[in-house]
Amino acid sequence: MLRIPQPIVDALLAHARAGYPLETCGILGGVDDAVSEFYPMANVDQSREHFRMEPKEQFAVAKDLRAKGKVIVAVYHSHPDTPARPSEEDIRLALTPNVSHAILSLAGAEPVLKAFRIAAGLSTPDPIEIRPA
């Protein structure tokens, strides 16, 4: 289960709305499955259908998390116009092992945040618990 504090959910939503109509992306850090760190990243592909993070940014985040005694808990991205479920490309490109993949959909009247574990080409829902501030 991915545990995310409400202020980080709010920041993730603000990032997705600010980047609309493009996909936004980033990293959520913490300990075990509890998120405590939010790292919005640039989508270097500038696409509304897929994302790619800058490797130098990713390494900087990993270094910062290590210094804090934390790890990458989840990779997140938005879906501006499609549901909060992994696309075939999301599944194919899910290369970060042992993390959750959070997807925030802006396609409906209300945003929808879901998470998945992706391994060996298979996607499994990962429940999310949103914790109060």
Side-chain angles (χ1 to χ4, degrees):
M1 172 178 290
L2 187 61
R3 298 181 317 271
I4 310 174
Q6 184 65 54
I8 290 180
V9 172
D10 295 342
L12 198 155
L13 178 58
H15 185 217
R17 286 182 169 153
Y20 186 89
L22 303 177
E23 284 195 7
T24 58
C25 56
I27 293 174
L28 303 175
V31 177
D32 297 323
D33 289 330
V35 173
S36 59
E37 308 292 326
F38 172 72
Y39 297 92
M41 310 281 278
N43 177 354
V44 297
D45 285 347
Q46 293 288 295
S47 171
R48 65 185 305 144
E49 297 173 354
H50 55 88
F51 73 97
R52 183 171 52 91
M53 295 181 206
E54 168 60 49
K56 288 181 183 178
E57 276 189 295
Q58 289 176 285
F59 289 127
V61 167
K63 183 178 179 180
D64 187 62
L65 285 169
R66 261 194 315 276
K68 294 176 179 177
K70 299 179 181 183
V71 297
I72 296 173
V73 173
V75 172
Y76 78 84
H77 72 280
S78 65
H79 279 186
D81 304 306
T82 57
R85 64 175 175 251
S87 67
E88 288 181 22
E89 182 172 292
D90 291 338
I91 293 169
R92 183 174 51 82
L93 297 175
L95 303 175
T96 308
N98 305 316
V99 301
S100 189
H101 295 266
I103 301 173
L104 176 67
S105 173
L106 299 178
E110 293 294 322
V112 175
L113 178 64
K114 293 185 178 180
F116 303 86
R117 296 285 175 159
I118 302 173
L122 299 174
S123 169
T124 306
D126 190 11
I128 296 177
E129 176 185 311
I130 299 174
R131 297 186 164 201

